[in-house]
Amino acid sequence: MDSLAVALGLLRAAAPGDDVLRSPEGWPRWSVLLPHVLTATGHVPDDGGENSAVAQDCSYLLDRAGTFLQAHGRYVEATPLLERALVIKEAVHGPDHPDVATGLNNLAMVLQDVGDAAAARPLLERALVIAEAVYGPDHPDVATGLSNLATVLRDLGDAAAARPLLERALVIAEAVQGRDHPDVATGLNNLATVLQDVGDTAAARPLLERAAAIAEAVHGPDHPVVATVLNNLAVLLREVGDTAAARPLLERVVVIDEAASGLAQSYSEETVT
């Protein structure tokens, strides 16, 4: 086995698991690994080359590095990594493989982050078609695809089209993963946001309250996910005139966000030193 294959394999083995990629727990290791990942993957041909194992390790590392950069708001750096990961996935697996659907989703989310929802939409539509063909209509990956497409439709100003996608995604998540799963909390939060967009705040409020309860039970009271849901609930409460109920929620959000920002800063300082 050549040195490049060994290096990529070791980097993939050393990378934190996907479950902590977007969480502070995984940031220190990814901060250390990132320059090595960029160097090693830079030696792989754009189509992945002839070595399938090298190509797969390269696409995985590019995809994960891009997602890590996205989590830190470094979208311009993340986009070419995710584009290259997708090209390699298609070269290795063909156009209709589930790994390609994952790559399409990840690239689309970064395009959405930089404000190009119009470019993200066809990628997500294609990813959803692949997921439904591979897994059937009621799989969690289909629910994820539905949710991602709905958020892009909302950004494009079509909340009415987003609503049924989110309703379907929530039904799938509850049926497959149970009513108290974190994916259900995400689905409740996303659907509530769209309900607010179409003016149905009465239906949105209990969804956000339930989402907050699930998020706290799963992640604890001081997790960034909890802050996101609490912020959305506070915005809704202010919208309906209940500023007294909104204020303590926003105060909690500030405390959680400041703690997370301090943790991220400490990781950045450790990396520099």
Side-chain angles (χ1 to χ4, degrees):
M1 184 178 294
D2 62 37
S3 58
L4 178 59
V6 172
L8 291 168
L10 290 172
L11 287 168
R12 181 168 183 171
D18 291 351
D19 56 332
V20 298
L21 180 61
R22 294 181 181 273
S23 301
E25 303 96 289
W27 294 348
R29 184 178 293 183
W30 259 112
S31 294
V32 171
L33 290 177
L34 183 61
H36 303 288
V37 167
L38 297 179
T39 297
T41 56
H43 292 287
V44 179
D46 288 341
D47 62 356
E50 297 180 358
N51 187 322
S52 177
V54 165
Q56 292 186 59
D57 285 345
C58 180
S59 66
Y60 175 87
L61 289 167
L62 287 168
D63 187 274
R64 300 297 77 197
T67 302
F68 169 73
L69 291 169
Q70 179 193 17
H72 287 264
R74 296 163 64 179
Y75 308 128
V76 173
E77 297 170 76
T79 302
L81 302 186
L82 293 170
E83 289 173 338
R84 189 162 170 241
L86 178 59
V87 169
I88 295 173
K89 288 175 189 291
E90 291 182 309
V92 172
H93 300 296
D96 301 319
H97 192 275
D99 283 357
V100 173
T102 300
L104 289 163
N105 268 302
N106 292 343
L107 176 56
M109 291 298 94
V110 169
L111 291 172
Q112 182 185 20
D113 286 335
V114 298
D116 198 353
R121 179 175 182 171
L123 302 184
L124 291 173
E125 290 171 337
R126 183 181 157 206
L128 182 58
V129 169
I130 295 171
E132 289 184 315
V134 172
Y135 300 118
D138 302 317
H139 191 275
D141 283 9
V142 173
T144 299
L146 289 164
S147 297
N148 290 343
L149 179 56
T151 63
V152 164
L153 289 172
R154 179 174 178 250
D155 284 354
L156 292 170
D158 197 351
R163 178 174 182 171
L165 301 186
L166 291 172
E167 289 171 339
R168 184 182 160 204
L170 181 58
V171 168
I172 295 171
E174 289 183 323
V176 174
Q177 296 163 314
R179 290 178 54 81
D180 299 321
H181 193 276
D183 287 353
V184 171
T186 300
L188 290 163
N189 179 76
N190 292 343
L191 178 56
T193 303
V194 166
L195 289 171
Q196 284 179 263
D197 288 343
V198 298
D200 196 350
T201 54
R205 179 172 181 170
L207 301 187
L208 287 173
E209 290 170 339
R210 186 180 155 208
I214 296 171
E216 290 196 45
V218 171
H219 300 292
D222 303 318
H223 194 278
V225 170
V226 176
T228 297
V229 181
L230 290 176
N231 183 74
N232 291 343
L233 178 56
V235 169
L236 182 146
L237 290 170
R238 289 174 62 184
E239 186 177 328
V240 298
D242 194 352
T243 54
R247 180 171 181 172
L249 300 184
L250 291 172
E251 289 171 346
R252 278 190 64 193
V253 170
V254 170
V255 170
I256 296 170
D257 285 349
E258 287 179 345
S261 297
L263 184 60
Q265 179 64 31
S266 69
Y267 288 153
S268 176
E269 291 170 356
E270 288 175 8
T271 301
V272 170
T273 58

